[in-house]
């Protein structure tokens, strides 16, 4: 793409799209790249919860060489704020806290032994009145006299056989319920996988069959008795009937174990693996309505364009950025019907290269984080398995997206905590990808050498103070209104001076900028502005002569007012001149030009074009000037985005170091960003880098906050107050000594104390609801592990996510 001559001029106006910082990459369409680090999955990965059986693997975009259609068809269900939606699978229901394995085994063993003892006592006749319930429902002539008398007739013996079988079934059921055999089976058999479950069920079925046919379990004889009583004893004269009855008994004994071991599912799975479906038979109905078929184009009647894009996706000639860019272009074209035909023709002519970004790039040179360009999410970590996190969020991926960044984000952490590498750079990378898709504009500001991304990942790279910089910055934000330029410039110059009113400073600047622009047609350069603020007689006299010659009487009154106020008490001009002097250094010679031939880059272009801009500040040699410029860029961004009329493009400012950049006016501007589809990401080493009077307003203005490991308790206290409290259930256990009244009981208590060394006590449990902080200051300062951060998220629609402990792997 032609850079329109902006290289030599070191800049660009708001009406011109600046050229790329480096030559564009080769025109070969890129494949879907994989992240630089992290495990890779198959073409259609699934985000799994750690408590779900089976291998858990993080969801990512397809691996290199994998087809994009698999990535495109992967489900992205709507979820709570911050959930990594790509291939998300909800976790299983939370299970209540159960007993330990040891208690479970001991309870099952005791229940089994008790049942065996009870059955032995029954079979040997040691239980009195054991036949009374049976005699109540059967004729008396079947039994011998007395409550313990046995059967007298064959009918009584048969009834006793059936009666014992029923009692045995009830005893087995009660033993299983009391011993909690179902939980024991689930923990130690079912959770070990399908194969072990099937083998264990087969072994149990074989043992049960052996016990049944050895008549250790009362099953065969009671069944034969019941069949004979219904069909008559003559039925057993046929050997075939007997064999059928035996087969039915064997099948009935085997059936519960087959259901328990899921044999049918196992056999069906093996048959499906052994005999795969023919190509194109089962997949054809699903593909007819899948996302890779571009159903929105087909619905609108552009079938040929949809077929072209489908072929591009299937053959791998499109990347995920191409898909997102063309979908966005189609969505914009539907609002302007006159654009539909040109877009369809471009698709038929160039395929996935249609509607390219002005730079000609179709992807970033490399990626360091996991992205889902279709939703605009970037995965920065995984929620830790911590009691502070809700159960449904533990182990799920955490991602940021424009819906969250639109409320602005404040990240606080000491140096080395990972703010830049694990949060700032992934966010800048995601916004750059979204800019290539035509949906966002990003301005990344950091010190020279900050790892915000390579030069060829940006359209404009401004290296202030570097003689080889191809671009420059407009101190006045590209405006032609002197009052607007003065207000923003005053905020950048002296907005951090609490004793100086920025409105008076803006008035002083307006009294000089207005006359100068009226006389020369442009705003003054840095040396000229410094001379005017210092009140140099030659500079003021020359300006006055130019105004008188041009007949600008109104501007002469402004200049006269400045002359009368100069040198008075509280005059902000000296402070402004001192701050401007920070930019009037030899290192900045040739920068901040304002002449007719100068075309510095204006932030106003961010609201009109999907640009990727990076500004490198000379923090090492000119720390105070870098802070001034950072403050100026923040003030310009909030003012320019608030004045936009077209807010379809998401604009975001990322400050790698916002130390002394936040002022009262910029805090008010940050509050307005979410209503104009814009946001700001601010990184601080400590909250004390912001004036104390702005601590509460700043935390209230941003919707997303991040506290990294290593913050102080003072910073933790401010976050704890901002995140509020929640109601929790507490259990208090008090032990009270038991005093016995009876001599025998006192003797037992004394013996127990002699053996255990502890007095006999009883527990009193009190359960109540109390209101506690979600995260206390001490927990934030000392309980957040290294490489972790606590994030609280809010969307522009007002949805909230509680503070979550996140392991940052971005």
């Amino acid at each position: 793409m032609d850079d329109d001559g902006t290289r030599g001029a070191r800049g660009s106006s708001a009406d011109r799209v600046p050229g790329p910082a480096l030559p564009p990459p080769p025109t070969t369409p890129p494949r879907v790249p994989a992240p630089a680090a992290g495990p890779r999955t198959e073409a259609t990965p699934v985000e799994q919860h750690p408590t779900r059986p089976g291998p858990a693997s993080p969801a990512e975009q397809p691996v290199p060489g994998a087809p994009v259609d698999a990535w495109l068809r992967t489900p992205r269900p709507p979820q709570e704020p911050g959930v990594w939606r790509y291939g998300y699978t909800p976790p299983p229901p939370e299970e209540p806290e159960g007993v330990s394995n040891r208690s479970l085994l001991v309870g099952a063993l005791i229940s089994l032994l008790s049942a065996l003892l009870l059955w032995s006592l029954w079979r040997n006749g040691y239980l009195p009145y054991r036949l009374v319930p049976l005699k109540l429902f059967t004729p008396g002539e079947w039994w011998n006299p007395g409550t313990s008398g046995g059967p007298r007739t064959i009918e009584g013996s048969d009834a006793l056989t059936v009666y014992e079988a029923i009692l045995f079934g009830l005893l087995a059921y009660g033993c299983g319920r009391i011993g909690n055999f179902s939980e024991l089976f689930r923990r130690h058999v079912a959770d070990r996988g399908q194969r072990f479950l099937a083998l264990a069920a087969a072994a149990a079925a074989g043992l049960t069959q052996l016990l049944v046919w050895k008549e250790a379990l009362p099953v065969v004889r009671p069944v034969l008795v019941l069949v004979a009583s219904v069909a008559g004893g003559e039925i057993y004269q046929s050997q075939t009937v007997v064999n059928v009855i035996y087969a039915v008994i064997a099948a009935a004994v085997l059936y519960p174990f087959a259901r328990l071991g899921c044999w049918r599912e196992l056999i069906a799975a093996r048959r499906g693996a052994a005999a795969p479906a023919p190509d194109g038979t089962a997949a054809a109905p699903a593909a007819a309505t899948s996302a890779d078929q571009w159903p929105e184009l087909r619905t609108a009647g552009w079938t040929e364009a949809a077929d072209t894009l489908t072929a591009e996706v299937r053959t791998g000639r499109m990347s995920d950025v191409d898909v997102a860019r063309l979908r966005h272009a189609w969505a914009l074209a539907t609002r302007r019907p006159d654009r539909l035909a040109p877009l369809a023709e471009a698709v038929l002519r160039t395929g996935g290269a249609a509607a390219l970004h002005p730079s000609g790039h179709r992807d970033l040179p490399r990626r360091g984080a996991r992205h889902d360009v279709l939703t605009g999410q970037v995965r920065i970590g995984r929620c830790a398995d911590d009691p502070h996190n809700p159960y449904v969020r533990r182990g799920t991926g955490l991602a940021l997206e424009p819906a969250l960044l639109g409320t602005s984000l404040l990240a606080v952490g000491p140096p080395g905590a990972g703010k830049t590498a694990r949060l700032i750079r992934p966010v800048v990378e995601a916004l750059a990808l979204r800019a290539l898709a035509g949906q966002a504009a990003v301005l990344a500001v950091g010190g020279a050498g900050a790892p915000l991304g390579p030069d060829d990942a940006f359209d404009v790279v401004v290296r202030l103070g570097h003689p080889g910089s191809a671009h420059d910055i407009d101190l006045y934000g590209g405006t032609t209104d002197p009052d607007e330029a003065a207000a923003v410039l005053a905020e950048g110059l002296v907005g951090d001076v609490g004793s100086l009113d920025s409105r008076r400073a803006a008035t002083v600047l307006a009294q000089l900028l207005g006359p100068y622009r009226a006389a020369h047609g442009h705003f003054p350069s840095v040396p000229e502005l410094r001379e005017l603020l210092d009140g140099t007689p030659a500079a003021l006299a020359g300006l006055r002569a130019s105004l008188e010659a041009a007949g600008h009487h109104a501007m002469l009154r402004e200049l006269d007012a400045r002359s009368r106020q100069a040198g008075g008490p509280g005059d902000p001009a000296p402070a402004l001149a001192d701050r401007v002097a920070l930019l009037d250094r030899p290192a900045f010679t040739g920068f901040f030009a304002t002449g007719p031939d100068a075309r510095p880059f204006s932030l106003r272009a961010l609201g009109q074009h999907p640009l990727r801009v990076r500004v490198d500040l000379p923090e090492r040699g000119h720390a105070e000037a870098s802070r001034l410029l950072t403050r100026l860029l923040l003030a310009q961004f909030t003012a320019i985005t608030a004045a936009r009329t077209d807010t379809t493009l998401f604009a975001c400012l990322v400050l790698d170091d916002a130390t002394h950049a936040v002022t009262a006016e910029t805090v008010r501007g940050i509050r307005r960003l979410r209503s104009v589809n814009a946001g700001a990401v601010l990184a601080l080493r400590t909250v004390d880098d912001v004036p104390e009077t702005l601590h509460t307003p700043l935390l209230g203005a941003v919707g997303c906050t991040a506290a990294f490991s290593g913050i102080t308790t003072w910073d933790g206290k401010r976050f704890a107050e901002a995140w509020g409290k929640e109601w929790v259930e507490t259990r208090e256990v008090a032990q009270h000594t038991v005093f016995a009244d009876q001599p025998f009981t006192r003797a037992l208590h004394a013996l127990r104390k002699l053996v255990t060394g502890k007095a006999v006590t009883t527990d009193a449990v009190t359960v109540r609801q109390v209101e506690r902080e979600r995260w206390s200051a001490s927990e934030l300062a000392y309980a957040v592990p290294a490489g972790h951060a606590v994030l609280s998220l809010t969307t522009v629609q007002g949805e909230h996510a509680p503070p979550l402990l996140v392991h940052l792997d971005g």
Side-chain angles (χ1 to χ4, degrees):
M1 172 181 172
D2 186 17
D3 58 5
D4 297 322
T6 57
R7 291 181 182 272
R10 191 188 286 153
S12 156
S13 65
D15 300 329
R16 181 178 288 102
V17 182
L22 289 179
T27 57
T28 303
R31 301 294 294 242
V32 179
R40 294 181 172 90
T41 61
E42 298 299 329
T44 310
V46 176
E47 179 83 8
Q48 297 188 7
H49 196 271
T51 58
R52 183 179 295 276
S57 58
E60 306 175 10
Q61 59 270 18
V63 298
V68 183
D69 53 353
W71 167 82
L72 192 57
R73 290 195 304 266
T74 302
R76 297 165 175 84
Q79 293 298 323
E80 297 178 359
V83 175
W84 175 249
R85 294 166 50 193
Y86 179 75
Y88 175 80
T89 300
E94 184 177 9
E95 298 179 357
E97 296 183 1
V99 296
S100 62
N101 289 332
R102 179 179 178 181
S103 300
L104 193 63
L105 291 172
V106 171
L109 182 60
I110 292 175
S111 175
L112 181 61
L113 294 177
S114 300
L116 292 176
L117 176 61
L118 187 61
W119 181 249
S120 177
L121 294 176
W122 166 269
R123 294 295 301 269
N124 292 288
Y126 289 106
L127 295 179
Y129 311 107
R130 64 190 186 97
L131 299 179
V132 171
L134 180 60
K135 292 181 178 181
L136 291 176
F137 295 96
T138 54
E141 60 270 11
W142 288 4
W143 311 97
N144 292 320
T147 56
S148 59
R152 178 188 299 177
T153 62
I154 296 177
E155 290 82 0
S157 299
D158 294 341
L160 180 59
T161 300
V162 177
Y163 179 58
E164 287 182 347
I166 295 174
L167 290 181
F168 180 82
L170 295 175
L171 181 62
Y173 177 77
C175 174
R177 294 282 297 189
I178 296 174
N180 204 0
F181 278 84
S182 60
E183 178 66 16
L184 185 67
F185 176 82
R186 187 190 65 81
R187 288 191 189 181
H188 299 282
V189 179
D191 288 350
R192 294 192 177 185
Q194 174 64 33
R195 292 186 177 181
F196 186 84
L197 175 63
L199 291 176
L207 178 61
T208 304
Q209 291 281 8
L210 179 62
L211 296 177
V212 166
W213 297 111
K214 290 292 184 180
E215 296 190 1
L217 299 179
V219 176
V220 178
R221 291 189 62 189
V223 172
L224 296 177
V225 169
L226 289 175
V227 172
S229 63
V230 173
E234 295 81 3
I235 193 174
Y236 295 119
Q237 294 179 2
S238 174
Q239 185 63 34
T240 302
V241 174
V242 173
N243 294 337
V244 170
I245 294 175
Y246 285 166
V248 170
I249 294 174
V253 173
L254 192 64
Y255 179 75
F257 295 97
R259 290 289 302 273
L260 200 62
C262 301
W263 294 352
R264 183 178 180 181
E265 290 79 0
L266 183 62
I267 295 173
R270 288 186 174 275
R271 287 181 178 178
D279 295 340
T281 56
T289 57
S290 60
D292 64 318
Q293 294 285 325
W294 301 86
E296 60 272 16
L297 273 70
R298 299 183 185 277
T299 304
W302 300 94
T303 307
E304 294 183 2
D307 292 339
T308 301
L309 293 179
T310 302
E312 294 271 309
V313 170
R314 294 289 178 85
T315 55
R317 293 195 296 269
M318 287 182 65
S319 68
D320 53 351
V321 179
D322 294 330
V323 174
R325 186 187 69 252
L326 289 173
R327 280 196 166 192
H328 178 69
W330 180 261
L332 293 179
T334 53
R335 304 174 188 173
R336 299 275 302 273
D338 57 315
R339 297 183 180 180
L340 288 176
L343 179 60
E345 293 176 0
V347 169
L348 293 175
R349 185 175 61 257
T350 60
L356 271 181
H357 185 264
S359 66
H361 294 184
R362 297 177 63 177
D363 204 347
L364 297 179
R366 55 185 175 273
R367 304 185 189 181
R370 304 169 191 165
H371 300 272
D372 184 18
V373 189
L374 207 60
T375 58
Q377 287 190 320
V378 54
R379 189 180 184 278
I380 63 170
R382 181 181 292 273
C383 296
D385 188 6
D386 187 86
H388 286 92
N389 293 341
Y391 171 77
V392 294
R393 299 302 296 269
R394 297 175 190 173
T396 60
L398 189 129
L400 296 177
E401 56 184 312
L404 298 172
L405 299 178
T407 63
S408 298
L409 185 148
L410 176 66
V412 179
K419 300 188 300 296
T420 301
R422 302 185 179 186
L423 179 65
I424 299 299
R425 174 158 182 172
V427 168
V428 173
E429 198 172 87
L431 292 172
L433 287 172
R434 202 160 181 82
L436 290 177
Q439 304 175 44
V442 56
L443 171 62
V445 181
L452 299 180
D455 292 351
D456 49 358
F458 295 91
D459 303 311
V460 176
V461 177
V462 181
R463 296 183 178 90
L464 292 174
H466 193 284
S469 178
H471 298 280
D472 194 359
I473 285 292
D474 187 357
L475 289 180
Y476 304 99
T479 183
T480 57
D481 185 1
D483 293 328
E484 182 182 351
V488 175
L489 185 59
E491 196 64 33
L493 292 176
V494 295
D496 61 328
V497 182
S499 60
L500 189 62
D501 188 0
S502 60
R503 291 174 296 182
R504 292 193 60 187
T507 301
V508 170
L509 288 172
Q511 290 172 345
L512 295 174
L513 296 181
Y516 190 94
R517 179 171 179 80
H520 300 283
H522 58 83
F523 291 120
S525 62
V526 170
E528 294 168 336
L529 180 61
R530 181 183 179 184
E531 291 180 354
L532 293 175
L533 289 171
D534 283 332
T536 305
L540 293 176
L543 179 58
R544 182 182 299 276
S546 299
L547 292 174
E548 290 176 350
H552 295 290
H553 302 290
M555 292 303 171
L556 282 172
R557 289 195 298 270
E558 288 285 304
L559 192 60
D560 292 338
R562 172 85 288 271
S563 300
R564 289 192 302 271
Q565 298 170 3
D571 182 18
L576 290 170
D578 291 341
R579 290 299 178 88
V580 173
L582 296 174
L583 303 179
D584 190 17
R585 306 297 300 163
F588 300 114
T589 301
F591 285 85
F592 316 121
T594 58
D597 297 331
R599 290 185 296 169
F601 173 74
S602 171
L603 265 64
R604 204 167 294 271
L606 289 174
Q608 304 173 8
H609 309 289
L611 294 177
R612 303 166 294 165
V613 184
R614 194 189 76 204
V615 178
D616 295 342
L617 302 176
E619 290 184 343
R620 294 183 179 178
H622 304 274
E624 193 62 31
S626 298
R627 294 174 181 175
L628 186 153
L629 292 170
T630 303
R631 191 164 52 249
L632 178 62
L633 291 174
L634 178 58
Q636 286 185 1
F637 181 81
T638 55
I640 290 172
T641 53
R644 288 192 304 170
T645 56
D646 184 7
T647 60
T648 56
L649 198 67
F650 178 73
C652 188
L653 169 67
V654 181
L655 297 182
D656 185 47
D657 185 5
T659 302
H660 301 296
V662 179
T663 64
E665 183 61 31
T666 54
V667 169
R668 287 189 286 268
I670 290 174
R671 287 198 187 101
R672 296 191 294 265
L673 291 180
R674 68 175 65 188
S675 62
V676 293
N677 195 23
V681 179
L682 311 177
L684 295 171
R685 295 182 177 90
T686 174
V687 182
D688 290 331
D689 289 339
V690 177
E692 186 176 359
T693 55
L694 297 179
H695 290 173
T696 300
L698 177 61
L699 289 172
V702 297
C704 303
T705 51
F708 283 72
S709 61
I711 64 172
T712 63
T713 52
W714 292 274
D715 288 342
K717 179 181 179 181
R718 298 182 182 94
F719 280 107
E721 292 175 351
W723 292 337
K725 301 180 179 181
E726 62 178 347
W727 289 98
V728 297
E729 184 181 277
T730 61
R731 294 171 59 91
E732 297 179 357
V733 181
Q735 293 184 339
H736 303 283
T737 304
V738 178
F739 298 96
D741 297 331
Q742 302 298 326
F744 181 71
T745 307
R746 286 199 298 270
L748 291 178
H749 287 184
L751 178 61
R752 179 176 176 180
K753 184 176 182 180
L754 181 64
V755 173
T756 62
K758 298 180 181 180
V760 179
T761 59
T762 183
D763 294 340
V765 181
T766 303
V767 181
R768 59 179 179 176
Q769 296 282 336
V770 297
E771 192 176 20
R772 289 184 178 176
E773 292 177 332
R774 300 178 185 272
W775 281 85
S776 66
S778 58
E779 286 177 330
L780 289 172
Y782 302 110
V784 179
H788 290 66
V790 181
L791 277 79
S792 175
L793 305 175
T794 305
T795 66
V796 291
Q797 290 81 17
E799 299 181 41
H800 296 270
L804 302 170
L805 179 63
V806 181
H807 175 242
L808 300 172
D809 54 10

